[in-house]
Amino acid sequence: MLPFRRLIPVLALAALACGCADEPDLVVYCALDQVDSERILKDFEAATGLKVRAEFDAEAHKTVGLVRRIREEQARPRCDVFWNNEFAHTVSLADDGLLASYDAPNAASIPETFRDPERRWTGFAARARVFIVNTEKADPAAVHGMWDLLDPKWKGQVCMARPLTGTTLTHAAALYVALGDDKANEYFQRVKAASDAGELQLMPGNGQVMRQVKDGALAWGWTDTDDYNRALQGGAPVAMVFPDRGEGELGTLFIPNTVAILKDAPHPEAARKLVDYLLSLEVERKLASFDGAQIPLHAELKDEPHQLPIADMRPMVVDYAAVGAQIDARFEALKELFLD
Amino acid sequence: MSRPLLLAAALVFVLLGLAPIGAMALRVEPGDFAGLLGARTLGLLGRTLLLGAGSCGLAVLLGAPFGFLVARTDVPGAALLRPLGLVPLVLPPLFLAITWTVLSDLRGAPMAIVLMSLGTFPIVAFFTALAAERVDARREEAALLAGGWRAALRVELPLLLPAVLCGACLAFVFAINDFAVPDYVSSVGPKFNVYADEVFANWKLDQHTGRAVVTSLPLVLLTLVVLLPALALRRRGTLATLEGDFLRPAPLRLGRLRWAALAYCLLLVGAAALVPLGRLVYDCGGGAQGWSGARAHAAFARALELSRGDLANSLLCASAAGLVAVPVALVLGHAAERLRLGRWLELVYVLPIAVPAILFGIGEIALWNHDATARLYDGNGLVILLFVGRFLPFPLLLLSGAVATLGPRLEEAAQLAGAGPARRLARIVAPALLPSLLGAWALVFVLSMRELDAAILVPAANHTVIFRVFNQIHFGRDDFVAALALLVVFFLLLPGLAWSLYGKRRVEVLP
């Protein structure tokens, strides 16, 4: 038997030795739902023979875990490609000089609105911010736009996620850019007052909004198209309403996935290959066909059939770079209002 | 005590448990303290105190009788109820929240308090149980003869109270550091935001890490303020009654009341463990859409197919963390008990559990993301280091308590016979504390298997099974999530089950 003194370092070294990683060909930090993005990344591995190490964000941490890691690791970047499921934090990383420029040839037919002018990030495969309506609780035709959430006739029947996380925070920041500070402030103060009065329910996230509506606990609420489609695929009695479609109204916010290569990425060549792959028509088609029903942004795919009636949508015109640049400041202000 | 061994163990503790905290503390600047305690944050702190006080109060009301009944009375099935009562500690509190929000309309603060107390009553129960079974039989019999039940209670309550209060303090600490349950149960109805929300929210702000560290301070101080009396009470409670020529007391006969006692215990274990587990079984077989064995089988098959690698990673990392932590904890725990002024070391030992998990996780990045440690950083190595650093205080306190129950005479005799300090520790102390060593390993294993909040920031921890469970909860794939959660619970309970079946001595999880 080994003496006790020697046993400790032997055990410790054995435990740690089995904990050293092999060097991958590419490291991806991915905030898109693991269940969908894993399939795409496996296809990429099969197509290129490259070994990818993918790291995902836990839903509870809503992108923050990965973004925080990228910032913390900037002295020695470990990530090559950041595949974000929204744009605001990607823009924020670009503004802080943490992303490299890459003008991907496959992005040529993606509208300029969804591309950084300096090519540090590119948007693709979007979700949209929509109302999910329980058809047993409300007539979808009676739901029109964002101000309806505050209409007394829906008192106690509507919900949205607290605008402090995920796409709801991004959406809130977009509303500040689109409506201006005064109008947006008024809107969110009224949302808070309605919540305090029990007239509107503020949920921890969009997933809970979807669950409350699909289960009939509430009539309708604001969520993302992927959540709506999952409820629909699960057989729930739900319909979708694209908000504010009228002339002169704000329209529906698109929240594209964004892909970016990290500055000083350890594997830049492989990173470019993955970005090219993710921005291909093939990947947008696949993401559109999954339960998440992402909306393709390539002009060539505009007229292809889609799971969702996206032709009915009126897209919100918004400066994505401006939204991203404000995200921290907006979060801080909204936290003061909603976290009390 | 062998100085090289003690220094090596202390170095491990400092490097893994304290250095990540130190790395984050260095980021704080004087300006970061501005606006720390405004009206809004004080309101959040007030609600945190309410959650902590409510949860630990209810945990005492539920747990103390449970602990006494299963340890000291002839309640039917006590031998089974006692380990079953530990199951809620193993379950992530969010599992309880997901189940009970479906079954009950209670929401907001009352629901958060009920759920946190259901999750933490086992701590009170088992401290109570240990103290109760260490009441000397002669003292109890004398009290019964002199004045019946009332006299016995008057004698025993002062002995039990420190243990109960120690459990209550720990329940308080667990409750105030949780924000997922308050957040989840106030989805509908009045909001119940707590200070832990503020701590997590400030980590989202990209530029102000110093401020985020400072934001943690009130919670850290509150945790320490409650942990320190817990340490003192632990000595006066579970350990105090062991001195002298101890005689184990006989079970108290409850008569007809034993069936009421059984109903109470079953109700409690049912609400805190059996109902959530039953709900998972129901969901994995199809739930409201119609339960079937075939669906449950398919859900388990899919869970295993998709998560086999993650499950293996979790088991490997959690087991390895236990293996590394236990010897270190034995050396340091022994030192804390045997060295003069060693008990003051316990004040330092609890620091890693007093800081928020996310701060600890970011500290790991600051500490280990360098070229020289690149392979360790990217692999499971860092996950193991994180688990050891974060959870070392638990086996450490457990083993220092266990050493306290072991008289120093054997060690002194071995020393006279020429055995060195390391040899005494290996040949005298460790074998005598085998159940506690196994309990310590199991504790680190369970906590590591459940860990998510700090691990989210560590690369390889993204490939653990608890990470996948919480990622999937969002999407409403209830059968798959339930099957996966049941697999996790099975592996969490496995060490205890295996020891119950094959072990000859009882595992000491709480000394």
Side-chain angles (χ1 to χ4, degrees):
Chain A
M1 188 178 153
L2 279 170
F4 189 65
R5 263 184 296 199
R6 291 185 199 164
L7 197 60
I8 293 172
V10 168
L11 281 175
L13 287 175
L16 295 178
C18 68
C20 286
D22 293 332
E23 181 72 13
D25 297 318
L26 180 66
V27 178
V28 184
Y29 286 3
C30 182
L32 183 70
D33 305 337
Q34 185 174 359
V35 68
D36 289 342
S37 53
E38 223 169 25
R39 291 161 74 180
I40 299 288
L41 293 171
K42 281 196 173 131
D43 290 349
F44 172 74
E45 281 185 319
T48 60
L50 293 172
K51 189 175 145 199
V52 177
R53 199 179 74 224
E55 290 169 19
F56 302 93
D57 223 356
E59 177 58 26
H61 296 75
K62 323 268 186 200
T63 315
V64 176
L66 291 179
V67 173
R68 172 57 63 190
R69 263 170 65 188
I70 287 172
R71 289 183 182 282
E72 295 293 333
E73 291 174 346
Q74 60 182 290
R76 192 186 76 96
R78 303 305 303 136
C79 167
D80 295 298
V81 174
F82 180 36
W83 175 358
N84 194 0
N85 65 348
E86 54 88 53
F87 61 89
H89 286 98
T90 313
V91 171
S92 172
L93 289 174
D95 288 349
D96 290 344
L98 297 177
L99 305 181
S101 292
Y102 175 55
D103 195 357
N106 281 351
S109 65
I110 291 176
E112 279 297 320
T113 319
F114 301 113
R115 302 176 70 191
D116 176 37
E118 293 177 44
R119 303 299 188 240
R120 294 165 301 179
W121 55 267
T122 308
F124 68 110
R127 288 175 289 173
R129 296 282 298 160
V130 296
F131 294 134
I132 179 171
V133 183
N134 186 309
T135 51
E136 292 171 358
K137 293 273 176 182
D139 176 7
V143 180
H144 178 73
M146 57 184 275
W147 294 96
D148 288 358
L149 277 168
L150 303 168
D151 189 328
K153 85 171 173 184
W154 297 112
K155 203 155 95 175
Q157 300 179 67
V158 289
C159 57
M160 63 180 283
R162 198 164 55 168
L164 297 178
T165 52
T167 52
T168 312
L169 171 62
T170 308
H171 191 177
L175 288 179
Y176 272 92
V177 171
L179 294 171
D181 283 8
D182 291 345
K183 198 79 177 160
N185 270 333
E186 181 204 335
Y187 183 72
F188 284 109
Q189 275 161 8
R190 286 184 58 188
V191 164
K192 178 65 168 58
S195 164
D196 289 345
E199 295 166 3
L200 180 154
Q201 302 295 341
L202 286 174
M203 306 278 160
N206 293 313
Q208 280 88 344
V209 169
M210 176 265 277
R211 280 172 179 263
Q212 292 293 326
V213 173
K214 94 177 164 70
D215 294 341
L218 294 165
W220 61 277
W222 223 332
T223 190
D224 299 330
T225 38
D226 60 332
D227 289 318
Y228 158 73
N229 199 51
R230 287 192 170 100
L232 186 71
Q233 299 298 326
V238 290
M240 179 179 67
V241 172
F242 291 115
D244 301 302
R245 278 179 294 163
E247 198 58 42
E249 291 182 329
L250 271 185
T252 301
L253 178 67
F254 267 46
I255 299 200
N257 282 269
T258 45
V259 63
I261 297 175
L262 271 286
K263 195 175 159 191
D264 301 325
H267 313 99
E269 196 61 38
R272 284 191 281 273
K273 279 187 187 164
L274 178 64
V275 171
D276 289 341
Y277 180 76
L278 291 178
L279 296 176
S280 67
L281 298 180
E282 177 196 348
V283 167
E284 276 213 318
R285 276 200 192 98
K286 277 184 191 166
L287 288 171
S289 69
F290 295 164
D291 283 354
Q294 307 276 345
I295 302 162
L297 298 182
H298 276 290
E300 293 96 320
L301 302 180
K302 204 172 130 192
D303 298 323
E304 287 196 2
H306 191 271
Q307 297 186 65
L308 306 174
I310 51 178
D312 300 345
M313 191 191 311
R314 173 193 172 86
M316 182 192 290
V317 178
V318 66
D319 180 348
Y320 286 93
V323 175
Q326 295 184 8
I327 194 81
D328 278 4
R330 291 303 171 208
F331 171 74
E332 197 147 14
L334 289 165
K335 190 187 77 171
E336 293 293 319
L337 182 61
F338 285 98
L339 191 58
D340 63 351
Chain B
M1 172 54 72
S2 159
R3 277 192 187 164
L5 205 57
L6 184 57
L7 277 175
L11 191 67
V12 171
F13 178 71
V14 169
L15 189 65
L16 304 187
L18 300 183
I21 303 169
M24 298 313 294
L26 289 175
R27 295 187 180 185
V28 175
E29 293 170 7
D32 293 326
F33 288 88
L36 176 62
L37 293 176
R40 186 181 62 83
T41 45
L42 282 173
L44 291 170
L45 266 177
R47 251 166 274 141
T48 296
L49 284 171
L50 172 69
L51 176 67
S55 303
C56 84
L58 195 52
V60 166
L61 288 177
L62 298 172
F66 180 89
F68 187 82
L69 287 170
V70 296
R72 285 299 325 279
T73 69
D74 62 346
V75 62
L80 181 65
L81 286 167
R82 191 166 175 171
L84 265 180
L86 268 181
V87 173
L89 263 187
V90 170
L91 295 175
L94 200 58
F95 285 13
L96 280 174
I98 290 169
T99 300
W100 279 106
T101 47
V102 173
L103 300 175
S104 164
D105 289 333
L106 195 63
R107 291 291 184 274
M111 188 57 151
I113 288 170
V114 168
L115 290 174
M116 290 312 299
S117 63
L118 282 180
T120 53
F121 88 85
I123 306 173
V124 180
F126 281 83
F127 271 98
T128 309
L130 285 168
E133 67 189 1
R134 289 171 182 177
V135 173
D136 193 284
R138 284 162 296 202
R139 190 187 296 201
E140 185 174 274
E141 280 161 18
L144 281 169
L145 280 174
W149 271 99
R150 287 188 176 191
L153 274 177
R154 270 203 303 277
V155 168
E156 290 187 16
L157 267 181
L159 297 173
L160 298 183
L161 206 56
V164 173
L165 288 175
C166 173
C169 288
L170 292 177
F172 182 92
V173 167
F174 274 95
I176 62 170
N177 282 288
D178 191 286
F179 66 92
V181 168
D183 203 28
Y184 194 89
V185 301
S186 56
S187 293
V188 176
K191 294 288 156 279
F192 187 60
N193 299 322
V194 290
Y195 194 80
D197 271 316
E198 175 76 5
V199 174
F200 182 68
N202 274 4
W203 284 107
K204 290 181 192 166
L205 289 174
D206 289 331
Q207 308 302 339
H208 305 297
T209 50
R211 211 179 82 189
V213 175
V214 167
T215 308
S216 313
L217 284 180
L219 209 53
V220 173
L221 288 176
L222 195 56
T223 304
L224 285 176
V225 160
V226 179
L227 269 180
L228 300 184
L231 293 176
L233 288 165
R234 172 172 147 269
R235 294 196 171 276
R236 289 174 52 196
T238 53
L239 306 181
T241 50
L242 276 180
E243 291 165 3
D245 202 5
F246 176 72
L247 191 65
R248 186 175 286 273
L252 297 167
R253 304 211 169 275
L254 293 174
R256 284 185 195 168
L257 283 176
R258 65 203 293 258
W259 299 110
L262 174 64
Y264 169 75
C265 292
L266 282 176
L267 202 66
L268 193 54
V269 168
L274 301 181
V275 171
L277 289 176
R279 173 82 198 179
L280 289 174
V281 172
Y282 173 71
D283 280 345
C284 84
Q289 295 165 355
W291 199 93
S292 79
R295 285 189 71 157
H297 182 264
F300 274 108
R302 185 167 157 70
L304 270 174
E305 179 199 335
L306 284 180
S307 314
R308 191 178 287 121
D310 297 336
L311 199 52
N313 265 348
S314 285
L315 291 170
L316 174 77
C317 292
S319 308
L323 276 179
V324 177
V326 168
V328 177
L330 177 63
V331 174
L332 293 178
H334 185 266
E337 187 54 37
R338 294 283 190 256
L339 291 182
R340 202 153 40 110
L341 302 177
R343 288 179 189 178
W344 290 100
L345 286 174
E346 290 188 343
L347 307 184
V348 182
Y349 288 167
V350 295
L351 272 178
I353 46 174
V355 299
I358 196 161
L359 182 148
F360 204 86
I362 293 174
E364 295 285 351
I365 299 177
L367 209 60
W368 296 101
N369 183 29
H370 304 290
D371 289 335
T373 50
R375 291 189 66 200
L376 187 76
Y377 181 81
D378 290 336
N380 283 338
L382 186 57
V383 185
I384 298 167
L385 295 186
L386 168 80
F387 290 164
V388 173
R390 178 90 178 137
F391 300 127
L392 197 50
F394 292 100
L396 230 159
L397 296 176
L398 189 159
L399 291 173
S400 75
V403 170
T405 65
L406 196 70
R409 281 173 295 185
L410 276 176
E411 288 178 71
E412 287 162 3
Q415 188 178 8
L416 288 174
R423 197 176 178 83
R424 294 199 300 273
L425 197 62
R427 296 290 168 85
I428 306 288
V429 179
L433 300 183
L434 187 63
S436 295
L437 291 172
L438 285 166
W441 178 87
L443 202 55
V444 176
F445 174 83
V446 166
L447 292 166
S448 302
M449 285 287 286
R450 282 176 41 164
E451 164 57 32
L452 182 70
D453 290 340
I456 179 81
L457 293 148
V458 170
N462 279 223
H463 303 281
T464 57
V465 71
I466 199 73
F467 186 92
R468 194 176 276 271
V469 170
F470 278 89
N471 239 344
Q472 299 289 339
I473 282 174
H474 172 71
F475 302 114
R477 295 183 183 87
D478 295 336
D479 55 348
F480 171 76
V481 172
L484 197 53
L486 281 171
L487 279 175
V488 174
V489 171
F490 170 74
F491 281 105
L492 285 172
L493 297 176
L494 191 61
L497 281 174
W499 186 259
S500 304
L501 289 173
Y502 302 111
K504 288 177 184 155
R505 294 159 71 182
R506 199 174 75 193
V507 171
E508 298 283 358
V509 178
L510 300 172

